[in-house]
Amino acid sequence: MKLLLRLMQIREASIFLFILLFVGCIGLVNPAFTSGGSLGLILKSSMILLVLAVGQSFVLITANIDVSVGSTMGLSAAVCGMMLTHGVSGSLSVAAALLIGSCIGAANGLGVSFFRIPSIIMTLGTLGIVRGYMLFYTEGKWIEDIPFYFKKLSSAAFLGIQLPVWIGIIAAVMAYLFLTRSSVGRYFYAVGDNEAGARLIGLPVKSITVLAFTFSGLSASIAACLFVMNIGFVPNQTGTGIELQVIAAAVLGGVSLSGGQGSLFGAALGAIFLEVINNSLVFLKVPAYWNNAISGFLLLLIVTGDSRFQLWLQSNGKKKQQEQENMSRSKLPKSGEGGYEDKVVL
């Protein structure tokens, strides 16, 4: 029991246990949900949200927000799909998509850091511009006839793990190592925790902000390539509304909206948890029009429950620490017996 309580104090471990508990509960209702094939498909489909949540975490940690990731993903997917259908090689199409996503992210970062535009306003404007340009670029049509070799990549596997899952794992691990093992990575937390203080000690606050938004745009374009690979066509509404799920996944994973706190692995697990919730409704045979309402309710229930549980763990830990300190003091010699208090007086 003590081991379980200690594990629950670690955010990533608590989310992982919540996922296991949720999967177990749904599996009791419909055993097909816990089959290897179903869980593999859920994991594969969650990689798009996972990559987006990892990129969004960089922005949230710097106390900003990026609501343009959905439209960035949509335009990147449209460019990638359009180039593929015109016979351009897969590597060039992917490179063009990554470049576009990075440029959109960098433009957001420049607007926020150098022109002092609030991040919510800047990225809302970008959302509208990019979404409008995507419809102009595609003429409002779906992009179909993606080459078969590109679609087949989604089922390619190495060591039993499919390519989209490898891409998600590699992206999350590289981002984690950069954020936690490099001096530049730690600057993101410093900027988000206290921007004025970070500026006073000479940290490149503006550059870090631009870099955070660039990473977010880059992750949106990686997610776009995964989308084209997995789905095999590009609807003209690709990415619409996904920004709310991305932010919810990061917050569920413990990334603070006020900045300075959060773990990329937590955000990745939060994305997987959201995908598990969405897919569980299919196995529970819930009508599709209830999906958003039930997913939102479950998200609120889990976040509130987890928040209350973490507070209980903290108060319980402080109480035990206080009891241990009181017991230690009671064992010390009292005043007049050569104890600690006499030594202080002397």
Side-chain angles (χ1 to χ4, degrees):
M1 190 64 185
K2 287 183 178 179
L3 178 62
L4 181 63
L5 289 176
R6 286 182 180 177
L7 282 175
M8 294 298 283
Q9 289 178 320
I10 304 171
R11 187 74 180 190
E12 293 86 347
S14 67
I15 297 171
F16 185 68
L17 290 174
F18 272 127
I19 293 174
L20 291 181
L21 183 63
F22 188 83
V23 169
C25 290
I26 301 300
L28 290 176
V29 179
N30 188 345
F33 183 71
T34 53
S35 68
S38 300
L39 294 178
L41 284 174
I42 293 172
L43 184 63
K44 180 181 171 183
S45 64
S46 68
M47 289 301 109
I48 293 175
L49 193 58
L50 183 150
V51 171
L52 288 168
V54 167
Q56 181 73 235
S57 297
F58 281 96
V59 177
L60 292 177
I61 286 171
T62 59
N64 289 298
I65 194 166
D66 185 358
V67 296
S68 68
V69 288
S71 59
T72 304
M73 175 184 158
L75 180 59
S76 301
V79 170
C80 181
M82 192 73 85
M83 291 180 72
L84 286 169
T85 55
H86 282 78
V88 181
S89 68
S91 55
L92 276 179
S93 303
V94 169
L98 297 183
L99 181 62
I100 286 173
S102 302
C103 289
I104 295 172
N108 281 332
L110 289 171
V112 172
S113 57
F114 287 93
F115 294 98
R116 298 288 183 183
I117 303 172
S119 58
I120 182 73
I121 303 299
M122 181 69 204
T123 53
L124 266 176
T126 306
L127 182 154
I129 293 169
V130 173
R131 177 65 62 192
Y133 182 72
M134 178 194 171
L135 293 174
F136 170 77
Y137 179 69
T138 60
E139 298 178 344
K141 299 176 183 175
W142 289 26
I143 301 172
E144 298 175 333
D145 301 325
I146 302 294
F148 180 70
Y149 78 88
F150 197 79
K151 292 188 282 188
K152 197 177 178 182
L153 288 175
S154 67
S155 56
F158 177 67
L159 297 176
I161 300 174
Q162 293 180 320
L163 181 61
V165 179
W166 274 117
I167 293 173
I169 292 172
I170 292 170
V173 170
M174 287 180 66
Y176 173 79
L177 291 176
F178 172 76
L179 201 60
T180 59
R181 296 289 185 268
S182 71
S183 56
V184 177
R186 296 188 187 95
Y187 292 170
F188 288 83
Y189 287 102
V191 170
D193 186 48
N194 187 343
E195 183 178 333
R199 190 175 285 110
L200 280 175
I201 61 175
L203 296 187
V205 175
K206 292 182 178 178
S207 300
I208 292 297
T209 304
V210 174
L211 200 56
F213 279 97
T214 305
F215 284 151
S216 180
L218 178 63
S219 71
S221 57
I222 295 173
C225 296
L226 289 176
F227 182 88
V228 177
M229 197 185 296
N230 285 348
I231 308 299
F233 59 90
V234 184
N236 56 17
Q237 294 298 317
T238 301
T240 301
I242 200 171
E243 51 274 348
L244 297 180
Q245 293 183 51
V246 174
I247 295 166
V251 173
L252 179 61
V255 180
S256 172
L257 286 174
S258 56
Q261 292 181 0
S263 156
L264 294 186
F265 278 140
L269 287 171
I272 293 173
F273 200 0
L274 278 186
E275 195 67 27
V276 168
I277 291 173
N278 288 333
N279 281 275
S280 68
L281 301 179
V282 177
F283 285 84
L284 293 175
K285 299 179 180 177
V286 176
Y289 49 81
W290 279 105
N291 281 12
N292 288 336
I294 295 177
S295 296
F297 173 73
L298 287 174
L299 177 64
L300 282 177
L301 187 67
I302 291 165
V303 170
T304 306
D306 181 60
S307 172
R308 302 296 299 176
F309 186 68
Q310 293 295 334
L311 286 174
W312 178 81
L313 285 174
Q314 288 177 8
S315 64
N316 196 41
K318 287 180 181 177
K319 191 182 292 183
K320 285 185 177 179
Q321 186 179 0
Q322 186 65 40
E323 289 176 358
Q324 288 177 351
E325 288 178 0
N326 291 337
M327 288 178 64
S328 300
R329 286 176 185 170
S330 66
K331 290 178 182 178
L332 290 173
K334 296 180 180 178
S335 178
E337 297 176 356
Y340 172 75
E341 294 178 4
D342 296 335
K343 292 177 182 178
V344 171
V345 172
L346 289 172

